[in-house]
Amino acid sequence: RDEMASREAIDSDGWFHTGDIGAIDPDGYLAITDRKKDLIITAAGKNIAPQAIENRLKASRYVAEAVMIGDRRKFPVALIVPDFASLRAYALEHGLPARTDAELCRNSRLVELVQAEVDRLSAEFAPYERVKRIALVDREFSIGDGELTPTMKVKRKAISEKYKELIESLYEGSGS
């Protein structure tokens, strides 16, 4: 019931634009794969649809949440909320300090473990789509802190602003 919004969403050929990105599978079915507003466009002009990559990273038992960042940058990075139970179990098994979630996230061996998982799980993607560096975040994203929508979708802009310094540290020395 908003004529202006309707005119903006429906083009001159009558197509309704939802803002979603999709692909048609071999059987002719449309699969929604991402949101247009979430596209990452690198400094080289490459388009990256982050949702498929983030979902692939979450296949790791050590990753609870992954958020790719990289708009207008040379390469993508990711903020990773670890699966703290799995990471703590690994740390204890290998004699690494594991008293707090923050301590787990600062442990260089654990960061290397998660980076290796990210590298392994993203090998199937194009080189420009692969996450080059990660940072572990020591707490889960939440609705209350403005990082997630009520439907549990990541608010990229809010996360980019909140973790700006951490993100910048991932690009230090890269010229990006």
Side-chain angles (χ1 to χ4, degrees):
R1 297 188 179 154
D2 182 339
E3 279 191 45
M4 188 162 181
S6 294
R7 278 195 303 273
E8 290 173 3
I10 300 172
D11 71 13
S12 61
D13 292 329
W15 286 97
F16 177 63
H17 293 267
T18 64
D20 294 309
I21 296 172
I24 297 179
D25 71 15
D27 295 325
Y29 291 98
L30 174 65
I32 303 299
T33 57
D34 222 313
R35 298 276 304 149
K36 188 174 181 179
K37 69 178 185 176
D38 288 342
L39 272 182
I40 294 170
I41 302 173
T42 67
K46 298 286 190 178
N47 290 348
I48 302 172
Q51 194 173 51
I53 300 164
E54 292 166 344
N55 287 337
R56 182 74 178 116
L57 300 182
K58 289 189 279 187
S60 168
R61 68 181 193 190
Y62 300 114
V63 177
E65 189 66 59
V67 179
M68 283 183 70
I69 308 291
D71 211 38
R72 296 182 303 269
R73 303 283 194 147
K74 285 186 178 179
F75 55 86
V77 298
L79 298 182
I80 305 284
V81 176
D83 180 306
F84 290 107
S86 295
L87 202 59
R88 182 169 279 106
Y90 180 93
L92 292 173
E93 184 179 317
H94 292 85
L96 303 173
R99 291 184 295 274
T100 67
D101 291 347
E103 194 173 80
L104 287 170
C105 291
R106 287 190 307 265
N107 185 295
S108 62
R109 285 191 47 204
L110 296 176
V111 173
E112 289 170 8
L113 168 72
V114 177
Q115 179 71 61
E117 283 284 286
V118 167
D119 294 345
R120 178 180 67 80
L121 290 166
S122 61
E124 68 190 56
F125 295 103
Y128 68 88
E129 294 177 304
R130 295 180 196 150
V131 171
K132 305 295 187 265
R133 296 180 183 165
I134 64 163
L136 302 184
V137 179
D138 64 5
R139 61 174 198 74
E140 294 180 6
F141 299 136
S142 73
I143 296 169
D145 287 335
E147 300 155 331
L148 300 175
T149 68
T151 58
M152 305 303 286
K153 292 184 179 94
V154 170
K155 291 183 172 181
R156 287 180 196 286
K157 186 175 181 182
I159 292 202
S160 292
E161 290 171 11
K162 185 170 192 169
Y163 294 97
K164 184 177 179 157
E165 288 180 25
L166 183 58
I167 293 165
E168 290 302 322
S169 74
L170 294 172
Y171 287 104
E172 286 177 5
S174 72
S176 179

